[in-house]
Amino acid sequence: MKKIGKYFKECFLEMKKVSWPSKQVVLQSTWVVIVSTIIFAIVLGLVDTLLGLGLDLLF
């Protein structure tokens, strides 16, 4: 049990050393991920549709 307590104590101490980003940086990064995901989904959907139509024409 002492090892588990020591582990969590050390984890807590290490978390204090972490340089956390500001709220503004997190929000900006989140928007970049959301927009990138939407753009990638649209492009992938178009490619899938075009390939499906192309295969339908071939077969």
Side-chain angles (χ1 to χ4, degrees):
M1 285 303 271
K2 287 184 179 185
K3 288 183 180 182
I4 294 173
K6 181 181 176 186
Y7 171 77
F8 283 111
K9 182 178 178 181
E10 289 177 359
C11 284
F12 181 74
L13 292 174
E14 284 296 319
M15 292 302 281
K16 283 181 149 182
K17 296 177 186 177
V18 173
S19 174
W20 297 101
S22 68
K23 183 177 179 180
Q24 183 179 2
V25 170
V26 172
L27 288 175
Q28 287 175 345
S29 299
T30 301
W31 279 112
V32 168
V33 170
I34 290 170
V35 170
S36 300
T37 302
I38 291 170
I39 291 170
F40 185 73
I42 290 169
V43 169
L44 191 60
L46 288 173
V47 169
D48 181 47
T49 301
L50 293 174
L51 287 175
L53 291 173
L55 287 174
D56 286 340
L57 290 174
L58 288 175
F59 299 107

